[in-house]
Amino acid sequence: MTSRATQSRFLQSVLQNGVGRYVCQLKRISIIFSKKAQSSLGIRDFIEEGVVDYAKKNPATVVYVSPKSCRIPKIVAEYLNGNVREEIVTSKTSQQVSELLTKLTNQSGLDVIRIRKPFHTDSPSIQGQWHPFTNRPPSIGPIRPQSADI
Amino acid sequence: MASGYILNRGALTLGIHCQRVCRSVTVTQVREKKRWMRAYTYLMAKKLKLEGPPPPKPRSQHPNWDYHAEVQAFSTRLHENFSLQLLKTAFINPCYLQAEQARRQGLGVDSELTALDLKNNIKLSAKGADFTKSFLIDWCRASFPSLPSDGVQSIVGHLSSSAVVTNVARNLGIEDLTMSEVFPVPDDVLHSTFMAVIGALLESSGAERTGFFLRDFLVTQLIGKDLFDMWTVVNPMGLLMKELSKRNIVLPEPRLIRSAGASTVLPLYFVALYSDKKLLAQGPGETIVAAEEEAARVALRKLYGYTENRRPFDFSPQQQHEQPLIQSVSSS
């Protein structure tokens, strides 16, 4: 797959976040797991050990813990710009789940696709758009088509 | 119970399995290839194609929704101390109250027993809109002292326009919490809700905090915007003449300084404006008239201090910023 075929975007932020004040973009997180299934073992451990600490540390995020019979436990993260990400946490340990949650908290919620450059500016040129007189001293005279003898 | 289930399933498949339903009433569960499944999925796909996808539901009707916790998280997320009572009032729109009242009457519930004891956000919204307007006007006057009142009005109009405010409100998660009659929330309802949130902040935290809130979330939308994108000036040369005569500067004299490709499809002219033999501004254009107009716009931007290479606006946080400065002075 070439780089042109994959989706890409520029480096950006939601609502100029961080210019004025930083707003945590993760608004809501739902942990969906089973009380019995083997695959939910790690996330059950995490709910016993770490989820209260996580909720206390991130008061800006609403944490929902919903047990229901399912084979595939997952974490559904909803962001301020309306994007929803589902992360499947089948047979992950408590430590791994905690790391995943930290990652989800720090993300902006924009699509996780290839970023064209690690920097971006809205006005790319400092000296302005190129025109035929850029870097041309005014003493040279008007621009003419090249004559044949030169 | 089981027969009812099978009957129901049979009805869904449009009576294809009528015979089987009649025959297998006594059987509770059939362990075989589910032949009804094909017809059922086909029917559902056809229904989806005919009716289109179901209308979007508000987040509050999806599972996992705790309104109080959401409002509290909204308040902490923005680093503000809202009074929760006021904030909840700010989200209740009059259209929601009317619809809810009508719904309860339609259900035949006694209106005295289940009276809606909620206030709507009209007052907060009016208060917030007034404060927003006055704050933005003050901010523009302070940032661009030489900008005339027309320009200030158009910048304020742009910042408090429906498009900008609803974009900000959607990206702050206000849409989820808004109580509205219809979903998706219409733009005007979202606009008044955002203003009501500002009104609630004004009542709970005071004018200074609200000013910082507006500066951080609304004024930042001005970054990267050109003055004349927001302010439509039909005759920039006339405006420039007026401004210059107000400041007692000699009226500008446009001169063609450079041109290229006059007979091609991409001609280019550079017009400079000189006032008393001093260069005011120069601007490019595809025709001489367009170039002159562009030069006048460049000169106006310089006069008003809204050039592209101006000093960026100050968005630094105020309280947190001051304390380390004092500490560093005392330590050194």
Side-chain angles (χ1 to χ4, degrees), chain A residues 21-22 27-28 64 136, chain B residues 70 78 80 176 216 258:
Chain A
R21 64 183 83 169
Y22 175 72
K27 63 178 168 185
R28 192 173 302 125
Y64 296 101
R136 188 182 166 91
Chain B
E70 295 282 343
L78 303 178
E80 296 289 353
D176 285 352
D216 286 349
R258 283 159 160 186

Side-chain angles (χ1 to χ4, degrees), chain B residues 9-10 12-21 23-24 30-43:
Chain B
R9 204 169 67 188
L12 279 171
T13 51
L14 274 181
I16 292 171
H17 298 280
C18 275
Q19 291 177 338
R20 191 180 127 193
V21 168
R23 239 184 285 148
S24 63
V30 187
R31 302 194 68 172
E32 60 181 19
K33 185 177 191 311
K34 295 176 178 61
R35 284 188 297 163
W36 55 270
M37 187 59 127
R38 185 185 157 89
Y40 177 71
T41 32
Y42 175 72
L43 188 75

Side-chain angles (χ1 to χ4, degrees), chain A residues 24-31 54 58-65 75-85 101 104-105, chain B residues 58-67 69-71 73-74 77 172-178:
Chain A
C24 176
Q25 296 289 310
L26 182 66
K27 63 178 168 185
R28 192 173 302 125
I29 208 156
S30 329
I31 302 171
Y54 173 82
N58 300 286
T61 309
V62 191
V63 182
Y64 296 101
V65 176
I75 292 175
V76 183
E78 290 170 53
Y79 288 93
L80 278 182
N81 61 354
N83 277 5
V84 180
R85 281 194 69 195
L101 271 191
L104 286 174
T105 311
Chain B
R59 180 62 184 85
S60 50
Q61 290 176 19
H62 287 288
N64 290 341
W65 178 262
D66 180 353
Y67 189 69
E70 295 282 343
V71 171
F74 175 84
R77 186 181 302 141
L172 287 181
I174 292 181
E175 196 183 16
D176 285 352
L177 299 167
T178 305

Side-chain angles (χ1 to χ4, degrees), chain B residues 52-172:
Chain B
K57 273 200 294 184
R59 180 62 184 85
S60 50
Q61 290 176 19
H62 287 288
N64 290 341
W65 178 262
D66 180 353
Y67 189 69
H68 182 76
E70 295 282 343
V71 171
Q72 212 162 20
F74 175 84
S75 168
T76 11
R77 186 181 302 141
L78 303 178
H79 309 289
E80 296 289 353
N81 286 321
F82 283 101
S83 119
L84 288 186
Q85 197 63 42
L86 276 174
L87 190 57
K88 280 182 181 172
T89 312
F91 288 125
I92 297 167
N93 284 295
C95 64
Y96 167 78
L97 280 186
Q98 280 173 6
E100 183 68 17
Q101 206 68 268
R103 196 175 70 90
R104 288 186 182 194
Q105 275 178 5
L107 287 172
V109 184
D110 187 14
S111 58
E112 286 177 11
L113 271 177
T114 56
L116 262 183
D117 191 24
L118 294 173
K119 277 189 269 176
N120 59 24
N121 63 4
I122 291 180
K123 271 186 197 165
L124 284 176
S125 179
K127 203 172 175 184
D130 283 349
F131 180 80
T132 308
K133 201 170 177 196
S134 63
F135 172 80
L136 287 179
I137 287 177
D138 288 351
W139 183 86
C140 280
R141 291 257 158 80
S143 306
F144 309 107
S146 48
L147 198 65
S149 61
D150 279 2
V152 171
Q153 282 297 336
S154 52
I155 289 182
V156 172
H158 168 77
L159 282 182
S160 54
S161 71
S162 181
V164 173
V165 169
T166 49
N167 181 35
V168 171
R170 289 220 161 87
N171 283 300
L172 287 181

